[in-house]
Amino acid sequence: MTKTDPGLLVLASLADGDKHGYAIMTDIKTFANVEVGPGTLYGVITRLEERGFIRPVPSEDRRQPYHLTASGRKQLEEAIASLETVVRVGSRRLRHA
């Protein structure tokens, strides 16, 4: 996963609470400065839902909110740990170059 991986970005967005699609796109633009279009977003949402990483939340609004599941939280934690390792090694190597 990379900083611009849409799956990682959606999981990170949902880590602080349930959101519907537009709120996820806006949040990602705010915290990652990455624009995720609706086609990409809803394809990613479908894949994450199929893998059990997120689930829809009942809503009376026409917008469908999504919730990060326990396995989605674990996936996000593992991705962050992996990225932290790459950042740590890359930073150390740059200091010694």
Side-chain angles (χ1 to χ4, degrees), residues 20 57-65:
H20 56 77
V57 176
S59 172
E60 300 205 6
D61 192 347
R62 65 178 182 80
R63 297 174 292 188
Q64 176 63 65

Side-chain angles (χ1 to χ4, degrees), residues 76-92:
L76 178 58
E77 289 168 348
E78 289 171 1
I80 289 169
S82 176
L83 290 171
E84 286 174 342
T85 299
V86 171
V87 168
R88 188 174 51 254
V89 169
S91 294
R92 185 176 60 239

Side-chain angles (χ1 to χ4, degrees), residues 46-81:
T46 298
R47 286 190 300 279
L48 293 173
E49 196 175 347
E50 287 171 351
R51 293 178 183 153
F53 295 155
I54 66 172
R55 65 175 169 75
V57 176
S59 172
E60 300 205 6
D61 192 347
R62 65 178 182 80
R63 297 174 292 188
Q64 176 63 65
Y66 294 90
H67 177 79
L68 183 66
T69 65
S71 80
R73 182 171 296 281
K74 183 176 185 228
Q75 177 69 22
L76 178 58
E77 289 168 348
E78 289 171 1
I80 289 169

Side-chain angles (χ1 to χ4, degrees), residues 3-38:
K3 173 193 174 254
T4 59
D5 180 279
L8 173 64
L9 295 172
V10 170
L11 294 176
S13 178
L14 293 174
D16 73 343
D18 302 346
K19 294 180 187 73
H20 56 77
Y22 183 75
I24 294 169
M25 287 190 301
T26 303
D27 187 42
I28 290 170
K29 177 65 177 160
T30 300
F31 79 78
N33 198 30
V34 173
E35 291 192 31
V36 178

